[in-house]
Amino acid sequence: MAWDPKTYLSFGAERTRPAAELLARVPLETPSRVADLGCGPGNSTALLRARWPKAEIDGIDSSAEMLKEARASGLDVRLLEADIARWEPESPYDVIYSNAALQWLGNHDTLFPRLLTFLRPGGVLAVQVPRNSDELCDRIIRQAAGDPRWAVKMQGVRDFWNVGPPETYYDLLAGQTRSVDLWETRYFHVLEGDDAVFRWSMGTGLRPFASALDEPLRVEFLEQCRRLLDAAYPMRPNGKTIHRFLRLFLVAVVQ
């Protein structure tokens, strides 16, 4: 299943808030070169452009659909289609920024130190990744994926929860940096509309599971997820739904 920018951006304000909070902690005033890894439809890249109007900014993403949406927004940045796991820049950056993208990639023990090598001295690696795999919504998706009707087909689904505890990233980065700032935030997103947590998950976490199935199993699987998530996340009396979501942030400054 291709990425759907409109589904992703149906909760655009909630998805952009962590991006802004990460950016606020980047301790550089006038970087000349900035990369946004996993830029998606450009909502986080727009924040970078607003803060650094004179910087050369590259938005990198593996999804042609997301990049098409970013281009349509009219962003004054260079957009590149590339696999972050294999990406190598033509020259180093002052800031490498990534909001909610690196959780899709494995081998963090080599990926994160590798990204540091693409920075100039004094450069900054700024990353936010969901660390939500133990929350109810993700447990429900894994429960649904184990249903005998499609469990065999789900066995090949990549486990995209590659995110470790904060201490793991400190140990990975401390030897090559002069400072590592780590923190976690648990958001209580207040979502509008019916099937709110299901629709949120359709924009991200449900995609690899749904893409493993053909019709009609895909429809049956998604309907089961919708029912389970609606039961687990009841709408409040005012018509809103609360979605708990844990995110890990890090800002590392290289030597």
Side-chain angles (χ1 to χ4, degrees), residues 2-16:
W3 281 95
D4 183 348
K6 289 182 172 50
T7 300
Y8 181 84
L9 288 174
S10 62
F11 298 105
E14 291 81 6
R15 297 193 194 279
T16 304

Side-chain angles (χ1 to χ4, degrees), residues 44-81:
S44 59
T45 323
L47 300 176
L48 303 182
R49 174 51 73 206
R51 177 169 175 185
W52 296 310
K54 296 182 179 180
E56 175 187 324
I57 298 177
D58 292 339
I60 297 101
D61 205 284
S62 62
S63 167
E65 294 81 12
M66 287 292 200
L67 291 173
K68 181 179 179 181
E69 186 76 11
R71 289 189 183 95
S73 71
L75 278 172
D76 177 25
V77 301
R78 185 172 68 156
L79 296 169
L80 307 170
E81 185 174 344

Side-chain angles (χ1 to χ4, degrees), residues 11 45-46 79 96 107 139 173 176 181 230 239 251:
F11 298 105
T45 323
L79 296 169
I96 295 178
N107 303 313
R139 298 201 309 269
L173 302 175
Q176 301 176 64
D181 185 11
D230 281 359
V251 175

